[in-house]
Each structure stands twice: as C-alpha cells, then as structure tokens.
Amino acid sequence: MPRVLLFSRQPLTSRPLQEWLDETADSVVLITTPKAVAEAEEILATHFPRHRLVEDYHSWATEQAAEEAAREHGAELVASTSESDVLRAARLRARLGAPGQSVESATAYRDKLVMKRTARAAGLRVPSFAAVEGPMDLLDFIDAEGFPVVIKPRTGAAAQGVSILRSPADVTAFLEGGRESAVSHVPGQWMVESFARGDLFHVDGIMRDGRIVHSWPCEYTGGLAERVIDGAPLGSVLLERDDARTEVLRQFAADVVAALPAAPDPLAFHLEAWIDPDGEPVMCEIASRAGGALIAEVYERAFGVQLAKEGLRAQCGSDLTLDHQPAAPAGLLGWLLLPAGHGTFVPPAESCPVPGVELEVKLAAGTRRDGVEHATDAAAEALVHAGTAEEVRKRMAEVTKWWHANTAWQ
C-alpha cells in the first residue's frame, strides 16, 4: 500500500480510522491533536506509530509539520477528513508532487466566491453575489439588491459566521462585530449574496474526474443559517425515487461537478441547493467532502456505503465499495438535530416513544450551554425511519414536540 499523509482532527474514539482503513492504516502518517487521541493512546501507538501531534491544529505551523513528516516517511499520497483540511492537503500535494485533488480544484470547492463565479460562468443559477473587501462593497450590494442579504465567510463551514442582514441596524451590528468575529474583517475573507427563496436540499455522493459515480438528494427541514441564529431543530429527509425533484437535483449536482475543476480520484461531495418557486434549482454551495451531521449515516442505511469512510479510503488508494448509481434507497429515512438551549440541561427522564426513531442524547445532565454554536451542533441526534418520506417528516415533528415537552434548560 502507498504511504499516506493524513490530516485528521476527529477523535479516534468516535471516528475509528484504524477500522475504516483496515490494512491501509499501517501505511498512514497521521497529523492530529492531543485532544483527538485522548483515551485512544493505545490505538494511536498500535495503528499509527508514525504520527505528529500538533497543539494548534489550525495554525500554519501544522502544514510545515505535515510536510516534514511526509518527506521523512516518504508519503506518496495526501488525504484529509474535514473541510478545513481540503485546501491544505492540496497545497501539500503540490509541494510533494503527489497525485490527487489539485489546489485549483480544492480552491473551487472551498472558496465560495470562486465556486460561484465558476458555476455562474458555466451557466448554472446562483444567487446574486459579490466579494466584500470592505464595508462599501457591502453597502453597494445592498443598494443594488435590497434587503435581506446574506453575508458569509468565503471559506466557512457549518454556517459559522453567517449573518442574515434584514435592516440597516443589522448592517451596523455586523460591521461593529469585527473584533468578536472568528473570521477577521479583512479583504479576501467575506462575500455577500442575495437571500434565496425556496426549499433547501442537499445532494450527497461520490464523484470522480468531474463526473458523479452515485448520489441522492434530501430535503432539509429548514435553513442552516437560520438554525444557528434561531436555535431551531434541523434535519433532512431522503427524497423518494418517483419524486420529480429527485432527478432535477441529481442532474443539477452532475452539472455543478462538471463545471468545477475536476479531482481525478474519487472524493465524497456535499451540494446544497434551493429549488425556487418556479421549480428551478439554484446553487448554494458544494464541498469535496462528506456532509456533516447524520448525512453519511443516512446514506449508509440507504445505500450501504458510509460517505466519510468511502471518501477517505479512496484518497488512501482503496477501491470504491459502490461504483454505480443505485436505482433507489433501501428505505426511507431522515435525520434530526435537536438544539441546545440556554442554561443547564435537564435531559428526558424516559426514552423517546415515537416509533421508528433512534435517538441519542449528546449532552450530559447538568451541562451548561448558551444556544446553538454551529449548524451541526446538537443536544440530541435522531435517525427516523418510516415507509414514506411524508411519514418520516411526521415522525420528526413528533420527536421535536416530545423533546421540547420532556427537556428543560434551567
């Protein structure tokens, strides 16, 4: 097996890389953090003896440490497990002369401004947008497009840093919040776009060399940015095979993947798009990694392949488990994230009584929280099964009602 330099800050206790990679794990040079290997020191020593622990994972020094480790151990491939590592992995490939997703492709899948410029140039529908290099760019866009607008970090994820500006007061609040923002208010970091109206969907699957190997769409129960702002539940439901929107969205995903610079080897992808009131798809964004929350778990139940695992194994040189498009999912299901509230958590006293629901409480009793921190942040997660998509939605609503009636934030 080829030697692989792998960026991963995911805890080994919850993402068992040694099981995902099986015989490939012995050839991995792992770049990770002390926090990620806590309570998994034996796994680290046994399966990843060639590793580097970095304290500040997001610092530029991590890339330097990764290159040093790659050259020391003769790494032939570079892989990553998180969106924040997509571009740094591509840059290291360029430095090493390694195959895989290029810097050009990684940038298009990571930088939302580049992404939307590329999609628009290919004739695909996107909201009106502009780069925000300073406050006047934002004000000019609002003058031209009107309220509401959405301002977001160009390389953000999970709706972190996203704001919906509906009034001049919202603009002032955003401009005054630069010191508290996780993303600096400096040129090259921000973009603004018009507020899209329509139902929001995601399409997930595996792509290779500018084409989709397999994919399937789901309908979100709400907006990601709205979830962070309002602290609302979030989930999605697999579309049925005969739903007219299924083929519309799968074709749109294929068009987006064909428009962006191709990655030669298989990668997982996660596309978000609206269907507007006229029934036309409009691109929100796309990433060259598996979707978050329980998206990969739902896909695995439906098609027998875990997208995060499949995408990582492919980056490490393994063959695809699923190399064709299934006709339909094995069953109808969805996922649901129930939000953290404000105060001290008092969990339900009994298990969820709604049929077809697998619910896991993620917070311990007594945990203090101050609302939702990012789009995939949850106090509890649920997988919901039923015979039809509509029944899945009904059960999700029942779970949400039960959760609010049986939990407290004191």
Side-chain angles (χ1 to χ4, degrees):
M1 300 300 296
R3 188 64 54 81
V4 181
L5 187 291
L6 171 59
F7 290 98
S8 180
R9 60 183 175 87
Q10 305 295 335
L12 285 176
T13 53
S14 60
R15 178 163 288 187
L17 298 176
Q18 74 283 359
E19 297 176 11
W20 283 16
L21 298 173
D22 46 62
E23 73 278 1
T24 312
D26 293 335
S27 65
V28 166
V29 180
L30 181 64
I31 307 299
T32 189
T33 69
K35 182 179 179 180
V37 300
E39 302 181 11
E41 290 80 4
E42 185 175 344
I43 294 173
L44 184 70
T46 302
H47 296 282
F48 304 104
R50 291 175 291 272
H51 65 266
R52 293 282 180 92
L53 299 181
V54 294
E55 292 292 341
D56 186 357
Y57 188 78
H58 296 293
S59 75
W60 287 3
T62 295
E63 296 187 38
Q64 181 186 33
E67 180 172 346
E68 291 173 353
R71 295 190 184 280
E72 177 185 342
H73 295 288
E76 303 165 71
L77 298 174
V78 180
S80 63
T81 64
S82 301
E83 186 166 12
S84 59
D85 291 324
V86 166
L87 191 51
R88 64 178 10 169
R91 287 193 292 258
L92 183 53
R93 289 188 196 103
R95 293 274 296 172
L96 299 175
Q101 187 177 32
S102 67
V103 173
E104 179 190 21
S105 175
T107 300
Y109 278 91
R110 188 79 179 94
D111 186 325
K112 295 171 179 58
L113 185 69
V114 175
M115 180 191 303
K116 289 184 175 177
R117 283 173 174 167
T118 306
R120 184 174 63 185
L124 300 174
R125 296 188 65 195
V126 298
S128 301
F129 66 91
V132 176
E133 309 294 355
M136 297 308 159
D137 294 327
L138 176 58
L139 298 178
D140 286 345
F141 186 85
I142 293 170
D143 286 346
E145 299 292 333
F147 288 111
V149 302
V150 181
I151 188 156
K152 60 178 66 174
R154 287 168 52 173
T155 58
Q160 288 182 294
V162 177
S163 296
I164 302 173
L165 309 182
R166 303 179 185 277
S167 68
D170 290 341
V171 175
T172 300
F174 171 77
L175 296 177
E176 290 179 343
R179 290 185 178 181
E180 294 78 30
S181 175
V183 179
S184 300
H185 285 192
V186 295
Q189 297 296 312
W190 293 88
M191 67 174 294
V192 61
E193 60 186 44
S194 56
F195 186 85
R197 301 186 185 279
D199 297 324
L200 182 62
F201 301 81
H202 60 89
V203 185
D204 299 87
I206 295 291
M207 61 181 179
R208 176 172 52 200
D209 199 23
R211 298 184 299 275
I212 288 179
V213 178
H214 55 80
S215 67
W216 205 264
C218 298
E219 183 174 10
Y220 276 118
T221 59
L224 276 70
E226 290 88 340
R227 178 176 196 259
V228 176
I229 295 167
D230 301 331
L234 178 69
S236 74
V237 181
L238 283 166
L239 294 189
E240 298 188 48
R241 178 182 179 180
D242 59 358
D243 189 318
R245 301 169 299 178
T246 297
E247 188 53 37
V248 168
L249 288 162
R250 289 189 61 245
Q251 183 58 55
F252 188 68
D255 292 341
V256 173
V257 168
L260 270 58
D265 300 319
L267 289 173
F269 75 89
H270 173 70
L271 168 75
E272 293 173 356
W274 297 276
I275 290 184
D276 70 12
D278 296 325
E280 296 296 325
V282 180
M283 178 180 169
C284 177
E285 58 190 57
I286 188 171
S288 55
R289 47 82 181 165
L294 299 180
I295 289 171
E297 286 77 1
V298 165
Y299 204 93
E300 183 176 20
R301 301 289 184 96
F303 302 108
V305 56
Q306 214 275 11
L307 291 175
K309 175 181 176 180
E310 184 86 332
L312 175 57
R313 286 174 58 84
Q315 290 179 75
C316 294
S318 296
D319 295 332
L320 290 176
T321 305
L322 179 63
D323 61 3
H324 63 279
Q325 175 62 50
L332 272 297
L333 64 159
W335 57 270
L336 182 66
L337 302 183
L338 295 159
H342 299 266
T344 301
F345 179 49
V346 180
E350 300 179 355
S351 59
C352 179
V354 182
V357 173
E358 303 171 36
L359 185 139
E360 180 183 2
V361 178
K362 307 297 289 187
L363 298 181
T367 302
R368 289 196 60 81
R369 290 294 304 272
D370 190 23
V372 175
E373 296 177 356
H374 52 80
T376 58
D377 181 28
E381 301 174 341
L383 286 170
V384 183
H385 309 251
T388 66
E390 183 57 34
E391 185 62 29
V392 172
R393 294 185 185 93
K394 289 180 179 178
R395 289 181 176 180
M396 290 168 69
E398 291 175 16
V399 172
T400 302
K401 182 178 179 181
W402 169 85
W403 175 261
H404 287 307
N406 289 275
T407 60
W409 297 89
Q410 297 177 347

